[in-house]
Amino acid sequence: MVVSGERLRLWLERDRRGAGYHLRDAATNEPVSWEDPRIRVVPVAGVSFRPEAVADASFDPGKRLALVPEPDNEHDPNAVAVWNLERTLQAGYVPRDVAAELDGSEQAVSLWRAGEGLRVLIAPREAWIGRPRR
C-alpha cells in the first residue's frame, strides 16, 4: 500500500442496490476507486467453505472485521484470516498475493456482499473510516 503524509479519511456510501458500499474521500468529497493505491479491496478467499459464517450479520457491509495473521499455517506462513470483530466466526482468508504485502497493522471493513462472495476494504491502521451515512 502507498502511504502518504496525510491521514486517509473515507466515507462509506451505501450502494443504491443495497449490496454494499462505495468509498468517498472525506477530505475532497471525491469518489475513491477500489483500485486506489492507498487501500486494498479484496475478495475474501475460501468463503465457499464457510457460507453460514459469511451470511452472519457480523459480516454485513459496513461491519469492522479482524485480520488475524497465521504464521504457523501449514499452507502459507503469510496467511491472514478474516474474522468477525468478536473473532467468533471466520469468513475466509485475505488472498495469498495481498496477504504477503500486509504488515499486520491494517484495519478491515466488510464492504460488499453478493451471493456467497464477500469483499473487504483493507486500509492503514491510522485511516479514518466513517460510519455509513444513512
Side-chain angles (χ1 to χ4, degrees):
M1 279 188 261
V2 175
V3 179
S4 69
E6 274 187 45
R7 181 180 184 196
L8 178 62
R9 296 182 301 147
L10 299 171
W11 280 116
L12 298 176
E13 291 190 337
R14 179 63 84 180
D15 174 69
R16 290 185 193 130
R17 296 176 307 226
Y21 292 95
H22 295 286
L23 303 171
R24 184 167 297 278
D25 189 308
T28 65
N29 207 33
E30 293 294 320
V32 175
S33 165
W34 285 6
E35 289 79 30
D36 189 296
R38 299 171 294 173
I39 60 170
R40 294 277 191 260
V41 175
V42 299
V44 177
V47 295
S48 62
F49 297 107
R50 300 172 183 88
E52 67 288 339
V54 175
D56 189 84
S58 62
F59 290 104
D60 283 352
K63 297 287 186 169
R64 302 242 175 216
L65 304 174
L67 298 175
V68 181
E70 293 184 354
D72 297 328
N73 185 300
E74 64 183 87
H75 302 289
D76 180 6
N78 293 316
V80 177
V82 178
W83 289 76
N84 62 358
L85 193 59
E86 298 78 22
R87 295 187 184 191
T88 57
L89 291 171
Q90 182 184 359
Y93 288 89
V94 172
R96 182 184 298 252
D97 59 324
V98 175
E101 299 173 1
L102 302 181
D103 67 15
S105 68
E106 297 83 5
Q107 60 176 309
V109 175
S110 177
L111 200 57
W112 203 271
R113 181 168 37 201
E116 291 181 2
L118 182 66
R119 292 209 182 254
V120 172
L121 165 66
I122 301 174
R125 174 71 56 205
E126 65 277 359
W128 178 86
I129 301 171
R131 292 183 182 255
R133 293 180 177 177
R134 301 205 188 268

